[in-house]
Amino acid sequence: MTRRQRRATLFAAAVLVLAACGTRLPDRAFVQAQQQAGGQPGVVGPSAGAGVPTAGPGASVGPSAPGTGPGTAPGGGSGLGGSGQGGQRNTASDVGVTPTTITIGSISSKTNPFDPRAFVGPLYGIEAFVHWTNAHGGVHGRQLVLKTCDDQGSGDANVSCVHKLIDDDHVFALVSNAILSYSGASYVNGKAVPDIGSQPIDTAYNKYPHLWDIYGEEYPRDGKQVGFHGNLYGGTEVYRYFKTKFPRVPKVAGVVEYNQDASQRFGDSIANGLQHEGYKVDKKVVNFALPDYDSVAIDFKNQGVQYVYDTIDRQGNARLCKALDDNNVTITAKVLTTQSWEQSIDGDYKDSPRCRDRLWATGNTLNYADTQYPQVASFRQQMQADGHGGADQVSDWALEGWAGGRWFADAAASCGGALTRRCVETFVNSGKPYDAGGLLTSRLFVERSTPREPSRNCINVARWSDTAHTWVTQVRNMQTNCFDVPEYPYKA
């Protein structure tokens, strides 16, 4: 399992916070964001299936075995009102569970003052999954009721969301969170509420035992230390992939970072990994307030840079690409992470067609454009039905929100009629690899006392195509596109 995507998620969030600081936003901007959010949780209930397809690609079985493929219902599917697996009747077996419903919650930093698109993808994904699942029989005959809360990117508001969902709405679990500042994590953990399939933007997911992020972890997660004694680890599989893919291309990489601590720490970790894979690295620091991307582009041209990595935000990336085009810099790949694996590339990079043609993305999830897989087709169909099928909504992060829902649903279905939090966590913490029916590369949770060396990390890779107007997958099978690589530490 790759830790690089987890590392990128953490640092991308940190860069976004720094970006907000750099804008010197007035207090009224934060107040306005809070007023827009209203502080009111949303709800998706059993009746939310209107407009949901009742048949189609999602009802068929994918490449995996029946009951496990990307197109199957959670747990193999079960009809409404049925007793489910083994004839066990549903009972009101735990908090948030009735014979006919399971109430879950999801927190997102949606209306933050930084970037309204930054943390909303997983929310769209879990909403789509709930709609689709309810229209296809629910989970062991129970409909899912989703309560949502927008914490606006504020730690204090996050604590309020946590208390609202746990104390007032009595959710059984949290699913597919995308939280900038998880200040309420200790309360969630203290109440033993499972948090499953979420984005590890905050390091709480590397600390607390009841928090289960979408990537799987091998840290102790004892509630005391973050990672291994305050260090997280990242592999070099992405850098290994590109030097293997293009053996004749000079291994010269450029890394662009802001003059901010978090951005530079991530930049240092990227440079370290690249150097261990034999790359010559040209690291450039730009002033966040007054960035000079033309100077970066000219230096990259003079140094013969072929691969460009960065620790900057979406707007910075667009400006960097424009500078590369303006200065006639020819590169092999501008490498993006899963957060930037979005359908909005045409618009975001409209001023840099040559650089746009060199955009690559890496991750640990199927490409949302690969609708030949039934589960991906169901996701896209449901996103469209929900009104989230546009370029600014469709992304691999949204698909990972769906995948988080699938992980929860498979865990809940394994419990039969007597659904409990302990049973769900036993499924997630079984030590067996999980791939959401082929939607994810295999991952698991294991509590190790020391890092594992080396790691076998598998990745998916896609390249943007102006002809197709979407991302085109570059590997035959992400489950076998694997590399045995070292893991290097960086401060949490």
Side-chain angles (χ1 to χ4, degrees), residues 185-200:
S186 61
Y187 189 77
V188 174
N189 187 71
K191 290 291 185 179
V193 176
D195 176 345
I196 296 174
S198 297
Q199 291 294 337

Side-chain angles (χ1 to χ4, degrees), residues 99-338:
T100 58
T101 63
I102 308 169
T103 300
I104 60 175
S106 189
I107 302 172
S108 64
S109 299
K110 182 178 180 181
T111 56
N112 64 79
F114 324 130
D115 181 350
R117 286 165 49 193
F119 304 111
V120 75
L123 175 62
Y124 293 152
I126 186 59
E127 288 176 341
F129 179 82
V130 167
H131 289 150
W132 187 89
T133 299
N134 286 344
H136 289 79
V139 180
H140 201 271
R142 294 182 173 101
Q143 293 275 280
L144 296 175
V145 178
L146 174 64
K147 302 291 184 78
T148 63
C149 192
D150 176 7
D151 69 9
Q152 305 132 39
S154 160
D156 290 342
N158 178 261
V159 172
S160 297
C161 278
V162 163
H163 282 281
K164 171 65 178 173
L165 293 175
I166 293 177
D167 301 337
D168 299 340
D169 294 327
H170 305 293
V171 299
F172 173 78
L174 298 173
V175 184
S176 296
N177 288 334
I179 298 170
L180 178 60
S181 180
Y182 204 169
S183 297
S186 61
Y187 189 77
V188 174
N189 187 71
K191 290 291 185 179
V193 176
D195 176 345
I196 296 174
S198 297
Q199 291 294 337
I201 300 166
D202 188 288
T203 56
Y205 291 96
N206 310 121
K207 179 178 181 180
Y208 292 112
H210 293 290
L211 275 55
W212 314 88
D213 67 40
I214 191 64
Y215 294 113
E217 299 292 352
E218 297 184 358
Y219 299 119
R221 295 170 55 248
D222 55 11
K224 300 175 183 178
Q225 59 183 312
V226 174
F228 294 113
H229 306 293
N231 286 322
L232 303 179
Y233 283 74
T236 62
E237 59 279 358
V238 171
Y239 322 130
R240 179 78 58 84
Y241 169 82
F242 281 103
K243 77 175 187 181
T244 305
K245 173 75 173 177
F246 301 110
R248 297 183 181 276
V249 173
K251 294 192 293 293
V252 183
V255 179
V256 184
E257 60 191 39
Y258 286 135
N259 59 334
Q260 304 280 3
D261 287 345
S263 180
Q264 290 182 291
R265 285 200 308 275
F266 188 21
D268 288 344
S269 70
I270 292 175
N272 184 41
L274 285 164
Q275 288 166 345
H276 277 93
E277 288 293 334
Y279 289 80
K280 174 186 174 183
V281 177
D282 184 20
K283 193 154 69 77
K284 304 299 293 182
V285 179
V286 298
N287 187 308
F288 175 79
L290 297 170
D292 182 0
Y293 293 110
D294 284 321
S295 293
V296 172
I298 293 169
D299 185 73
F300 282 177
K301 185 175 183 178
N302 292 336
Q303 295 297 321
V305 165
Q306 292 297 314
Y307 303 98
V308 177
Y309 297 84
D310 70 89
T311 64
I312 59 180
D313 57 1
R314 180 189 290 113
Q315 183 181 10
N317 261 301
R319 295 174 67 183
L320 172 61
C321 256
K322 186 177 186 305
L324 293 173
D325 273 17
D326 289 346
N327 291 278
N328 297 313
V329 183
T330 300
I331 59 175
T332 299
K334 171 69 183 75
V335 186
L336 305 175
T337 57
T338 306

